[in-house]
């Protein structure tokens, strides 16, 4: 009989922060991309913007880690949210001038990159510190479901705001005004987190360029491989769905809401059936169909293709993401006897490097191949990385089991 693990107050608070941020982020990140795309009209320019944005993550991680060590991680999180608000205010101020001022989009990328970097460094660290190996599965499952719920509310609300507005652009501006309020609420809630930060010194480069510690090398490499395909989700799939709907902001928002509903059900089911014994098989299953989903979207750039992608991706994502998170977080727990900030920063550097590699692939393919085929080729290339990741994970875990058996003998 399985013992029920109760979540503590800090875990519940972090679930609320993550979920509310997911709602604000869903209304911001994708619609910011759509808003900027309307003025630039170029997927390559949008990819370069995303590279600047994510390129500032390692800087934010390092600065934020030192602030968190000296003061509190909740302070770093609050500062990150306020920077995101500042970026949105810049966006609201510039409006159409974004297309006229060539460098403006990259300045916005820098601001968002620092703000989001601060936030994610704090969130990943606090997720690690507030949860335990015993509660982690339930904690991540509830977080996934709550994030899914807020991801239903966000696009439906955004779609309605766009529908009520004189035009899509005005609708996006009203969305940004609403999410500024949400971010300020999250910033206040973040300031109430009372988890004590680890005060010891930490190093990063020895965790990034790790050869002696095979477990940490596996964790870092896993994040690097995970990040390549993740780059498509962060900056491209939303725009491709938007284009597939004929540029309708309200239709786009409603589709995202349907996908979020499916995601909630999938996270609930995944939380019930994924166990320690079948985790690797679920990981393999999720990776295979995660790879297939983005290939569908780029090979069939129609509304039907967008719907097929969204349904499949929402159904299988928990079986890919949850095993990845549980495995890597549990492994990180083995380093809790020291300040784990260096380990967490190196993980984020790994996933950011993977994301930048994916984005760089899109830009490189745009120069190498003709306009009509470079995007499908780049997306197919990046979509193969979940398969590479689970092959790597399978080989690593099987080799560990062999060593364990030999040791027991």
């Amino acid at each position: 009989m399985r013992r029920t693990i109760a979540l503590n107050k800090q875990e519940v608070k972090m679930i609320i922060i993550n979920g509310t941020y997911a709602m604000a982020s869903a209304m911001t990140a994708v619609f910011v991309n759509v808003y900027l795309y309307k003025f630039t009209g170029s997927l390559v320019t949008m990819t370069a913007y995303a590279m600047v944005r994510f390129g500032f993550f390692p800087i934010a991680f390092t600065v934020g880690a030192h602030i968190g060590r000296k003061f509190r991680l909740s302070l770093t999180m609050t500062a990150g949210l306020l920077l995101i608000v500042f970026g949105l205010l810049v966006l609201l101020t510039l409006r159409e001038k974004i297309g006229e001022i060539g460098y403006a989009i990259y300045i916005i990328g820098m601001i968002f990159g620092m703000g989001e970097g601060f936030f994610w460094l704090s969130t990943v660290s606090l997720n690690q510190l507030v949860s335990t190996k015993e509660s982690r599965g339930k904690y991540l499952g509830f977080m996934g479901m709550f994030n899914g719920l807020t991801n239903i509310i966000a696009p439906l609300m955004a779609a309605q705001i766009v529908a009520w507005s004189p035009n899509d652009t005005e609708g996006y501006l009203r969305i940004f005004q609403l999410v500024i309020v949400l971010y300020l609420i999250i910033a206040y809630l973040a300031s109430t987190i009372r988890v004590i930060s680890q005060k010891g010194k930490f190093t990063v480069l020895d965790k990034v360029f790790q050869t002696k510690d095979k477990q940490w090398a596996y964790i870092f490499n896993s994040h690097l491989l995970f990040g390549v395909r993740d780059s498509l989700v962060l900056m491209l799939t939303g725009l491709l769905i938007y284009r597939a709907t004929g540029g309708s902001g309200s239709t786009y928002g409603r589709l995202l809401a349907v996908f979020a509903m499916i995601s909630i059900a999938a996270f609930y089911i995944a939380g019930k059936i994924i166990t320690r014994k079948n985790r690797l098989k679920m990981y393999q299953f999720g990776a295979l169909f995660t790879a297939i989903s983005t290939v569908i979207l780029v090979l069939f750039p129609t509304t039907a293709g967008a719907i097929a992608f969204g349904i499949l991706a929402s159904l299988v994502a928990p079986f890919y993401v949850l095993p990845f998170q549980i495995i890597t977080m549990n492994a990180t727990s083995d380093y809790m006897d020291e300040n784990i900030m260096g380990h967490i920063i190196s993980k984020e550097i790994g996933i950011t490097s993977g994301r930048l590699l994916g984005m760089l692939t899109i830009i490189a393919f745009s120069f190498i191949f003709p306009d009509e085929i470079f995007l499908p080729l780049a997306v197919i290339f990046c979509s193969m990385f979940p398969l590479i990741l689970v092959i790597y994970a399978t080989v690593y875990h099987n080799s560990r089991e062999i060593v364990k058996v030999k040791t027991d003998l």
Side-chain angles (χ1 to χ4, degrees):
M1 185 175 180
R2 294 178 64 181
R3 183 167 61 93
T4 302
I5 306 295
L7 299 178
N8 61 50
K9 289 182 179 180
Q10 299 296 337
E11 287 175 315
V12 171
K13 195 174 288 187
M14 281 300 299
I15 288 172
I16 294 172
I17 287 174
N18 276 282
T20 310
Y21 179 85
M23 180 169 72
S25 182
M27 296 175 72
T28 305
V30 176
F31 281 97
V32 163
N33 285 347
V34 169
Y35 182 74
L36 293 174
Y37 180 65
K38 289 178 74 73
F39 293 114
T40 63
S42 169
L43 288 175
V44 174
T45 300
M46 289 302 301
T47 303
Y49 152 78
M51 289 187 71
V52 170
R53 177 180 154 205
F54 288 102
F56 269 79
F57 272 33
I59 299 172
F61 297 154
T62 305
V63 175
H66 285 290
I67 294 173
R69 184 172 70 89
K70 190 172 182 179
F71 301 102
R72 286 185 298 145
L73 284 166
S74 56
L75 177 63
T76 310
M77 182 185 285
T78 303
L81 291 163
L82 294 177
L83 272 172
I84 295 171
V85 168
F86 176 63
L88 289 169
L89 290 173
V90 172
L91 201 63
L92 287 169
T93 302
L94 291 178
R95 299 195 181 198
E96 291 81 3
K97 292 180 181 178
I98 294 169
E100 302 170 10
I101 307 171
Y103 57 84
I105 189 172
Y106 303 115
I107 293 175
I108 292 169
M110 290 166 56
I111 297 170
F112 282 140
M114 287 298 293
E116 291 170 349
F118 274 4
F119 178 84
W120 283 116
L121 182 277
S122 308
T123 300
V124 172
S125 302
L126 289 169
N127 284 341
Q128 187 76 44
L129 292 170
V130 303
S131 62
T132 64
K133 282 189 175 182
E134 291 73 26
S135 69
R136 196 156 287 142
K138 185 175 183 179
Y139 175 67
L140 292 173
F142 271 103
M143 186 181 296
M145 286 189 289
F146 187 56
N147 288 2
L149 178 62
T150 58
N151 280 330
I152 292 174
I153 298 171
L156 285 176
M157 187 182 298
Q160 197 57 55
I161 291 171
V162 172
W164 284 339
S165 302
N167 54 63
D168 281 7
T169 301
E170 284 300 314
Y172 301 149
L173 293 173
R174 291 176 182 178
I175 290 169
F176 301 155
Q177 291 167 352
L178 173 62
V179 297
I180 284 173
V181 176
L182 286 176
Y183 281 128
L184 291 174
I185 293 171
I186 304 167
Y188 167 74
L189 188 58
S191 69
T192 66
I193 295 288
R194 291 291 180 262
V195 174
I196 298 174
S197 304
Q198 294 173 305
K199 300 298 183 183
K201 293 183 178 181
F202 61 87
T203 56
V204 176
L205 291 181
D206 59 324
K207 278 84 175 177
V208 174
F209 303 104
Q210 179 59 255
T211 55
K212 294 181 180 179
D213 186 341
K214 291 183 179 180
Q215 175 170 290
W216 192 256
Y218 164 68
I219 297 301
F220 179 84
N221 293 337
S222 294
H223 280 76
L224 179 68
L225 294 172
F226 186 91
V228 178
R229 189 265 177 186
D230 199 45
S231 66
L232 303 179
V233 178
L234 291 170
M235 56 74 54
L236 195 61
T237 53
L239 291 177
L240 291 176
I241 294 173
Y242 175 74
R243 290 207 313 186
T245 62
S248 170
S250 56
T251 302
Y252 172 63
R254 292 188 180 98
L255 273 181
L256 294 184
V258 172
F259 300 155
M261 291 179 192
I262 297 170
S263 179
I264 288 180
F267 266 101
Y268 177 79
I269 294 169
K272 291 288 186 181
I273 67 176
I274 294 177
T275 64
R276 185 178 180 83
K277 290 183 178 179
N278 67 13
R279 190 182 294 157
L280 196 56
K281 289 184 178 179
M282 294 294 101
Y283 200 6
Q284 294 162 349
F285 164 81
L288 172 62
F289 287 97
T290 294
I292 291 172
S293 66
T294 39
V295 174
I296 289 174
L297 178 61
V298 79
L299 291 183
F300 303 96
T302 61
T303 302
I307 292 171
F309 157 76
I311 291 174
L312 181 58
S314 300
L315 282 172
V316 302
F319 298 94
Y320 175 53
V321 174
L322 282 180
F324 170 79
Q325 289 179 326
I326 293 171
I327 289 169
T328 56
M329 287 179 72
N330 284 348
T332 304
S333 294
D334 293 341
Y335 302 88
M336 292 288 284
D337 58 342
E338 57 186 284
N339 191 329
I340 62 166
M341 199 65 74
H343 291 89
I344 288 173
I345 293 173
S346 72
K347 283 199 304 182
E348 295 306 306
I349 288 175
I351 201 168
T352 298
S353 299
R355 289 166 175 168
L356 292 175
L357 177 60
M359 295 170 191
L360 186 61
T361 298
I362 295 170
I363 293 177
F365 277 36
S366 72
F367 286 106
I368 298 170
F369 299 103
D371 288 349
E372 60 272 16
I373 65 169
F374 88 85
L375 191 59
L377 290 176
V379 170
I380 291 171
F381 174 80
C382 293
S383 296
M384 295 301 103
F385 275 80
L387 300 178
I388 297 171
L389 172 56
V390 292
I391 291 171
Y392 174 53
T394 302
V395 170
Y396 173 78
H397 287 284
N398 286 343
S399 66
R400 279 193 60 171
E401 287 301 316
I402 293 171
V403 170
K404 184 179 179 182
V405 169
K406 288 182 178 178
T407 303
D408 291 341
L409 291 174

